Amino acid sequence: IHKTPGAHDTWEQVYLVLDGAAKVHLEETVHHLEARSVVVIPKNTMHSIEVDAGDHLRYVYINQYR
């Protein structure tokens, strides 16, 4: 599963990975995530999250308006 890339111009996002594994795409860079990972996504940054078939991901995200 690969979420459609997007960007937000009014807030930053923070992903807190609770369980599982995934990849987060930030612009042209890919980061591998696992439990206890934290990702900060600045405003206007194209991003998406990808979970491989057979894997799972449990995470929360926080929008921070500035």
Side-chain angles (χ1 to χ4, degrees), residues 10-28:
T10 56
W11 66 78
E12 296 176 336
Q13 282 189 314
V14 176
Y15 291 177
L16 307 172
V17 179
L18 305 175
D19 189 37
K23 293 175 239 167
V24 66
H25 300 256
L26 300 176
E27 299 290 346
E28 301 298 322

Side-chain angles (χ1 to χ4, degrees), residues 2-47:
H2 191 169
K3 183 179 177 268
T4 303
H8 311 286
D9 62 357
T10 56
W11 66 78
E12 296 176 336
Q13 282 189 314
V14 176
Y15 291 177
L16 307 172
V17 179
L18 305 175
D19 189 37
K23 293 175 239 167
V24 66
H25 300 256
L26 300 176
E27 299 290 346
E28 301 298 322
T29 304
V30 178
H31 301 274
H32 297 272
L33 306 177
E34 57 187 26
R36 300 189 331 210
S37 294
V38 176
V39 178
V40 177
I41 304 169
K43 290 191 294 188
N44 299 312
T45 300
M46 288 298 292
H47 62 282

